[in-house]
Amino acid sequence: MATFVLVPGMCHGGWCFADLTGQLRRQGHAVHPLTLTGLGERSHLLHGGVNLDTHIEDVTALLAAENVHDAVLVGHSYGGMVITGAADRMPERVDCLVYLDAVVPAHGDSCWALVSDQERRWYLDVEDSGYATRPLPFFDSRATPHPLASLLQPLRLAGEANRFRRRDYVYAAGWDGESPFTPVYERLSQDPSWTTHALDGGHNLMRDAPDDLLKILLDIARPSDDTLEEGRFTP
């Protein structure tokens, strides 16, 4: 069975994966839906120094504390920044990377650098402390302000991203309007080192296309014949 670590996007917490978590656990998998520092039930930990490194450490600390190996890291939206950094820092504990309608950064990229001017204007709508971006009005009522420094800090990578068993991109094809992730999906669709999927749902695929998303994740969790022969999984 696989171990999934689920990393949410901006302003969200582990609660956004509640249904998916239950479905994966019923299939026998271990699942860790993560709320990043400064958000959700951890919003009391918000301060000006909470940045991308903090969120990457949230994931690497979980992998170490839970003694997780061969993890499937799943990042939604902003969470793509986080899983990329965590996999780079602990590659020996990671098996696969899954990007759910997410940014896919390279070395030196920040979330700020990868998004449109419209999204940057949202990022600068900060709460009174100046530490965090306000949730958009249509977000779930549980959404909380997102640490601004995590959006501005460039990602530092030391290794090659293609060293993992699989890298999957799950694209939401049902945006109301133009999706900012279309160029990412189109580029990765031409890259043989990636597996891409397009689902008929909005940005929050966990809510809009739960059954199709579950099928994709269950397929990713299934080790290939080559992996079994290498002894990384046991029947």
Side-chain angles (χ1 to χ4, degrees):
M1 295 293 103
T3 300
F4 289 91
V5 178
L6 310 179
V7 180
M10 280 182 63
C11 302
H12 288 62
W15 50 264
C16 73
F17 292 112
D19 292 342
L20 181 62
T21 296
Q23 291 173 313
L24 289 169
R25 285 176 175 166
R26 284 191 288 276
Q27 296 288 333
H29 299 291
V31 189
H32 299 278
L34 190 61
T35 295
L36 299 169
T37 298
L39 292 143
E41 70 272 19
R42 307 182 69 202
S43 59
H44 62 288
L45 300 176
L46 176 64
H47 58 79
V50 176
N51 58 18
L52 179 58
D53 282 341
T54 310
H55 290 166
I56 291 170
E57 188 174 356
D58 286 337
V59 176
T60 58
L62 183 146
L63 296 178
E66 298 292 338
N67 196 28
V68 175
H69 294 271
D70 297 317
V72 179
L73 302 186
V74 181
H76 178 240
S77 198
Y78 161 78
M81 298 290 299
V82 180
I83 66 170
T84 303
D88 183 71
R89 295 189 188 182
M90 279 193 168
E92 72 281 1
R93 291 179 178 263
V94 176
D95 181 40
C96 304
L97 299 175
V98 185
Y99 295 79
L100 303 183
D101 218 37
V103 291
V104 180
H107 175 73
D109 284 340
S110 65
C111 207
W112 173 273
L114 294 175
V115 300
S116 67
D117 288 341
Q118 180 179 358
E119 287 176 279
R120 292 187 189 113
R121 286 193 290 272
W122 166 38
Y123 290 2
L124 295 179
D125 179 21
V126 296
E127 61 173 0
D128 292 344
S129 70
Y131 294 159
T133 298
R134 291 186 177 94
L136 290 170
F138 54 83
F139 280 7
D140 188 286
S141 61
R142 292 168 289 182
T144 53
H146 188 94
L148 180 60
S150 73
L151 307 174
L152 302 178
Q153 184 184 19
L155 178 64
R156 301 186 305 274
L157 300 175
E160 296 295 326
N162 59 2
R163 55 188 149 169
F164 304 103
R165 179 171 66 88
R166 284 184 65 155
R167 288 183 299 165
D168 285 65
Y169 194 89
V170 187
Y171 170 66
W175 274 66
D176 183 13
E178 184 178 355
S179 167
F181 298 103
T182 300
V184 180
Y185 169 69
E186 291 177 344
R187 172 172 58 85
L188 298 181
S189 295
Q190 303 302 313
D191 187 335
S193 69
W194 285 81
T195 302
T196 57
H197 318 263
L199 298 184
D200 185 16
H203 183 50
N204 286 315
L205 289 169
M206 306 84 71
R207 177 196 63 202
D208 290 358
D211 294 337
D212 290 334
L213 177 57
L214 177 64
K215 290 177 184 176
I216 290 170
L217 293 179
L218 292 176
D219 178 68
I220 291 168
R222 189 177 299 113
S224 65
D225 292 340
D226 290 344
T227 304
L228 288 171
E229 289 174 4
E230 292 170 4
R232 291 179 58 191
F233 290 80
T234 55

